[in-house]
């Protein structure tokens, strides 16, 4: 009897927790295939509040500049083969490496509170990478998603192609870090025939301000 009561109590706790975390779904309008979706996503993010989910449409969309998120907002696509966000081949490498373009999604959270942010169901693609010296293809050291001091995020069901620095980059406080990256696809995240000394699926940096003998992950 005690076991059954405990199970019911735990179920109620989980339901209450999910209700507290559940927010509104904000649908992003499609600009049409191969048109810039960044303004539509940024407008949805700006109007959202913590706990909301920004839902992207199916289609293939260019992303000019980055989408900056500073709130606990999740972004959901229709599936990694259905929602494709890509960089135009016409954008110069120099432009792609500026702060306004470096990442497709830039999560500037700077909080040690649990965020419960989830990014899912999206394909992120950068420019075609250079493979041979003189081929004229991209050598930009760019990023798919970057998290700045964002605790307890999840990235799942996504695909990352052709990013020159890291597909997913995580920068965290030395003493507090937590996140989950699972069931994603990482394809040729490297640029330049000499690899530039970069090119990773996931990159994780601490603040490098103090040594922790017993870090918590």
């Amino acid at each position: 009897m005690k076991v059954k009561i405990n199970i019911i109590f735990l179920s109620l706790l989980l339901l209450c927790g999910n209700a507290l975390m559940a927010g509104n779904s904000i649908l992003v309008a499609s600009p049409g295939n191969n048109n810039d979706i960044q303004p539509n996503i940024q407008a949805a993010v700006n109007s959202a509040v913590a706990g909301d989910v920004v839902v992207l449409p199916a289609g293939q969309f260019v992303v000019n500049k980055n989408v900056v998120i500073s709130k606990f907002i999740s972004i959901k696509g229709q599936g990694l083969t259905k929602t494709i966000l890509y960089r135009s081949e016409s954008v110069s490498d120099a432009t792609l490496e500026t702060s306004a373009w470096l990442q497709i999604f830039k999560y500037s959270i700077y909080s040690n509170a649990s965020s419960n942010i989830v990014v899912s169901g999206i394909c992120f693609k950068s420019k075609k990478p250079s493979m041979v010296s003189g081929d004229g293809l991209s050598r930009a050291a760019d990023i798919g998603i970057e998290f700045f001091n964002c605790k307890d995020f999840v990235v799942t069901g996504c695909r990352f192609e052709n990013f020159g620095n890291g597909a997913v980059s995580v920068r965290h406080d030395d003493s507090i870090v937590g996140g989950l990256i699972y069931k994603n696809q990482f394809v040729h995240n490297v640029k330049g025939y000499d690899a530039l000394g970069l090119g990773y699926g996931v990159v994780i940096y601490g603040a490098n301000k103090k040594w922790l003998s017993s870090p918590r992950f």
Side-chain angles (χ1 to χ4, degrees):
M1 186 68 178
K2 183 183 288 186
V3 172
K4 186 179 288 186
I5 290 171
N6 285 341
I7 290 172
I8 293 171
F9 180 64
L10 178 60
S11 298
L12 287 171
L13 283 176
L14 289 172
L15 286 170
C16 290
N18 288 337
L20 288 171
M21 289 189 296
N24 295 318
S25 292
I26 301 176
L27 305 182
V28 174
S30 171
N33 277 339
N34 300 309
N35 290 319
D36 183 14
I37 198 172
Q38 190 273 351
N40 293 4
I41 301 175
Q42 190 67 66
V45 165
N46 293 347
S47 68
V49 298
D52 286 350
V53 179
V54 170
V55 180
L56 306 184
Q60 182 168 297
F61 311 107
V62 69
V63 181
N64 292 329
K65 297 187 177 179
N66 50 27
V67 176
V68 180
I69 308 105
S70 59
K71 297 172 277 190
F72 293 174
I73 297 166
S74 298
I75 304 181
K76 179 181 179 182
Q78 301 303 310
L80 58 81
T81 63
K82 296 181 179 179
T83 299
I84 300 170
L85 306 181
Y86 70 94
R87 294 301 199 189
S88 171
E89 295 292 332
S90 64
V91 177
S92 71
D93 282 1
T95 296
L96 203 54
E97 291 183 328
T98 62
S99 60
W101 286 75
L102 185 61
Q103 317 87 349
I104 290 184
F105 289 172
K106 180 180 181 180
Y107 272 94
S108 296
I109 301 300
Y110 295 101
S111 170
N112 286 327
S114 185
S115 71
N116 297 310
I117 289 168
V118 180
V119 180
S120 64
I122 304 168
C123 176
F124 299 85
K125 294 177 68 172
S126 189
K127 295 169 60 180
K128 294 176 183 176
S130 174
M131 298 294 290
V132 179
S133 178
D135 63 12
L137 297 177
S138 178
R139 301 180 73 232
D142 55 345
I143 297 167
I145 306 174
E146 189 159 28
F147 294 95
F148 290 87
N149 288 48
C150 181
K151 184 185 175 189
D152 298 338
F153 64 86
V154 175
V155 179
T156 186
C158 292
R159 181 179 173 95
F160 299 88
E161 298 182 31
N162 302 337
F163 292 96
N165 188 332
V168 180
S169 181
V170 181
R171 294 180 179 270
H172 62 84
D173 180 84
D174 282 326
S175 59
I176 300 177
V177 58
L180 180 60
I181 301 168
Y182 76 106
K183 291 188 177 180
N184 299 287
Q185 298 177 9
F186 297 92
V187 180
H188 208 282
N189 292 288
V190 61
K191 279 189 182 164
Y193 55 91
D194 60 357
L196 304 177
L198 299 170
Y200 310 95
V202 178
V203 182
I204 302 175
Y205 297 101
N208 295 328
K209 293 181 179 178
K210 58 184 176 182
W211 175 260
L212 298 176
S213 57
S214 300
R216 294 183 293 111
F217 300 107

